[in-house]
Every structure is written in structure tokens, then in C-alpha cells.
Amino acid sequence: MKRFSQRPLQASAAALALAALAATGLSLSAQAREETPASPGQAILVLDASGSMWAEMKTPEGKKTTRIETARETISAMLDELPSDIELGLIAYGHRRKGDCKDIQTLIKPGKVDKAAFRSTVNKLNPKGMTPLTDAVKQAAEALRYTEQKATVILVTDGLETCAPDPCAAALALEEAGIDFTAHVIGFGLSREESEKVSCIAENTGGKYLEAKDAAGLSDALGEVVLEPAEPVEIAPPEEVGPWFEGQPVQLNVQLSPTGRTTTDMSVEDPAEVDFPADGKWQQCQAACEADSKCGAWIFEPPGSYFIEEARCRVLPPTSEADASYTPAEDGWVSGIKPGVRILSRPYEPNPDQRDLH
């Protein structure tokens, strides 16, 4: 496993921020047959800046340093390697006041990274307080609009929750309420018993929990999470079939109706219904599809459609055949085809009075 060693000082858990930046999506052209990575999504690094981060540790050369100094050096090295299109935010806790469970601060909102500013912000952190990691993860999830779109939080902690909330229950609640919420956790110098008490955050959200006892372990953890490539998925329909409806990412007043056929020899399945809030919006349905590498198109059904009382979101695999038809604007139907995907469809004539496709 590759280890990052741009600088003499060892790698730190803080650089796990890059883990959330390897998100891939579906992007297919007529010629492409394999999934290609989408641009990285947004993520927030939640960095432990509690008093225990001044604990001493040793460099590979045997020199004394501290956990916070290691974090500063490693983040600085990682920033040098970040692609320009990565969007990353930063939240820290315990860095301003002692004994204050509310000491959680969003230092950098998720967005294009100003490397100099990010580096300077981390270098100014002065660990001194408590470890309200549960509320910090919640704050990060809310900043990422986790109920509307895919959201990834990376928690780096060298200690356990020292305030009131139950991190395991909170993580499960975030997972249930989110569109595609994931929290990765790295325990920096934690004992086995301590690891068991925080690993649930990752387990309950489908993330990874990684332990690091020393610099080498931290480096290996980074290699496992950051550098592991995504498996390509063959999803493109065969080129010789057709006709095709190119579609749009968002199609107001358009209903996609599966014909019951596919473009492969696979058995026909009904559109999959995803977990969806009763009052959910079409934007959340779109986000659910974009977060699923096996989704090619999505259909948002508002309350009242076919006698359903709650909003519903269904997704289609990219090998589906579907008809596309217009519905009255007052019905509120919305559908979309993931960029780069072409859903096989029988020809249809657009209604000239309802061309609001965008």
C-alpha cells in the first residue's frame, strides 16, 4: 500500500479527508462501455483539536513530536496533491475553549480548496478542549445538505465522545434521514476498547473505520481509503439496438414508463423504489440516482400520483427500455436521465405546449 511521504514527518490521520474525494458516478458515451469516474464530490473533514491532540508521539526517526503537529504536516503535504476540482470543507472542535461541549466551528465551508488558506487554518489550531465529536459530525452533515444530496464526512479523532450524545445512535439517525450519507472514521492512537465505541459511526453509515497506532499505520490507512480504485461496471447497452431517447438530467412534466424490456438478456425487473421522505422533492430523487452507480434514470412521483399519499422515488438501471411521455404540469411529475447515459425508448412526439425541459 502506498504511503505518502512528501515531507520527513510521518503521515497523519487528518489526511483521511481525501477518502471522501474518490466518489465515482456514471458517465457513459455511445462508445464507452465501462463506468468512468465522475468529478469528486463535496466532503468535510472533522478534525479533532481537543486537548489530547498535544499527546506526544515519535517520528520514524525517533524524534519527539505531537499528534497535532503530525496532523498539520500531513494535511499540508496532502494539500500539495489535491486536484483542483476537489471540494473540501473543514470543521474542528475543542480548539477555542476548555470544558465547552459547544466548541465546534465550521472553519471552511465545502467548496473549491484554497490550499494556502486551508493550510493556514489548520496550522492555527490550538488544541485545548473537549471532544464533542457527535455534534461535530451532525454539523458537518447539515453543512453538506445530507437530506438532499450525497454527503461524506471524515472524522479524525484521538479520543472518545466527552459530551452527552450517543455517537452510534446519532450516526444511525443520519444514515436513515440522509440521501446517501457516509462517515469514515479513523482512530488515532485509540485502544481496542476505545475503537469499539467509535467504529459504530462508520459501521452505521456504510463507511470505513481505520485504526492507526503509529505513523506507518496512518500511512497504510490513507493508502487503503484514498488510493483504492473503484471497480468499473459494464452498463452500456449494445450499440446495435435502438432507437434512443437522449433525455435530460432534469425533465419537468415528463414520466418515464418502463416497457418491460431491457437491452440485454437480463431478466426484467420493476423500477426499484428507494427510501424516500414522505414530503421529499424531486431534487432528492435526482441525488439518490446520482449517488447510485447502478442507476441510469430516475422518476419522481409526487403525492396524489396513482392514489399514493406520499412522494415516491424510483430508479431505473441503464439497460432499461422506457417510454417517455408528457404529463400535465399540475401533476408535478419530474424525471431525469443521468448525464452520459442513454435510456432506450420508443419514439414519442413532444407536446409543443410543454417543452420546459432543462
Side-chain angles (χ1 to χ4, degrees):
M1 200 68 69
K2 178 180 177 181
R3 293 178 182 172
F4 297 96
S5 59
Q6 288 82 3
R7 301 183 181 216
L9 196 56
Q10 67 269 34
S12 159
L16 187 61
L18 296 179
L21 308 174
T24 58
L26 201 60
S27 179
L28 297 175
S29 65
Q31 292 76 31
R33 295 300 176 95
E34 291 187 351
E35 179 179 284
T36 56
S39 59
Q42 288 189 335
I44 290 182
L45 167 66
V46 175
L47 182 60
D48 188 337
S50 62
S52 58
M53 284 292 282
W54 284 116
E56 289 189 352
M57 60 184 301
K58 291 185 178 181
T59 68
E61 297 78 21
K63 296 180 179 179
K64 288 184 178 181
T65 185
T66 63
R67 292 173 181 170
I68 187 61
E69 289 173 312
T70 301
R72 291 168 181 165
E73 288 288 331
T74 304
I75 291 177
S76 181
M78 293 302 102
L79 287 171
D80 291 337
E81 292 197 349
L82 286 182
S84 60
D85 60 345
I86 281 181
E87 297 190 358
L88 179 65
L90 175 66
I91 286 178
Y93 57 79
H95 60 292
R96 295 178 294 181
R97 297 177 294 275
K98 293 183 178 181
D100 186 356
C101 287
K102 300 296 184 182
D103 186 12
I104 304 169
Q105 185 180 15
T106 299
L107 298 167
I108 299 175
K109 294 181 179 180
K112 293 293 180 64
V113 179
D114 181 331
K115 297 182 180 181
F118 204 105
R119 182 179 288 113
S120 175
T121 301
V122 172
N123 288 342
K124 291 177 181 178
L125 291 176
N126 183 26
K128 63 181 65 175
M130 305 287 281
T131 308
L133 61 86
T134 306
D135 283 343
V137 170
K138 288 182 181 178
Q139 183 167 314
E142 291 168 358
L144 290 167
R145 307 202 321 272
Y146 76 107
T147 61
E148 302 175 26
Q149 60 186 17
K150 178 180 176 64
T152 304
V153 175
I154 309 94
L155 170 65
V156 177
T157 181
D158 78 332
L160 300 180
E161 173 70 58
T162 57
C163 297
D166 177 355
C168 301
L172 185 59
L174 290 171
E175 171 68 15
E176 292 175 347
I179 286 293
D180 185 5
F181 178 76
T182 304
H184 300 295
V185 182
I186 186 164
F188 193 7
L190 299 183
S191 67
R192 181 180 297 274
E193 292 74 21
E194 290 172 330
S195 294
E196 291 174 353
K197 293 180 180 179
V198 296
S199 61
C200 60
I201 298 174
E203 293 166 0
N204 288 351
T205 62
K208 288 188 176 183
Y209 177 75
L210 302 171
E211 288 187 11
K213 300 298 183 184
D214 52 26
L218 292 173
S219 183
D220 285 344
L222 288 173
E224 178 180 346
V225 180
V226 179
L227 301 179
E228 186 174 281
E231 291 293 328
V233 180
E234 297 212 0
I235 52 179
E239 193 65 27
E240 60 271 15
V241 295
W244 296 96
F245 170 56
E246 295 292 349
Q248 298 290 330
V250 176
Q251 301 170 141
L252 301 178
N253 312 323
V254 170
Q255 175 184 359
L256 289 178
S257 303
T259 64
R261 295 188 295 271
T262 69
T263 58
T264 69
D265 294 330
M266 298 171 58
S267 60
V268 178
E269 296 182 0
D270 291 333
E273 186 172 344
V274 302
D275 291 334
F276 201 67
D279 59 349
K281 308 300 181 184
W282 66 260
Q283 293 89 341
Q284 293 169 267
C285 187
Q286 180 186 27
C289 179
E290 291 178 350
D292 183 355
S293 63
K294 296 181 180 180
C295 176
W298 53 274
I299 310 163
F300 170 73
E301 303 174 13
S305 303
Y306 296 128
F307 308 103
I308 62 172
E309 296 181 357
E310 300 179 348
R312 187 165 63 176
C313 175
R314 295 188 296 159
V315 295
L316 299 172
T319 55
S320 294
E321 179 181 278
D323 281 333
S325 58
Y326 281 96
T327 61
E330 59 269 20
D331 286 358
W333 281 75
V334 186
S335 67
I337 296 178
K338 188 180 291 186
V341 173
R342 300 189 303 171
I343 293 294
L344 188 67
S345 175
R346 293 187 294 216
Y348 77 105
E349 290 297 327
N351 184 329
D353 296 327
Q354 294 179 324
R355 293 183 178 276
D356 188 13
L357 302 182
H358 56 88

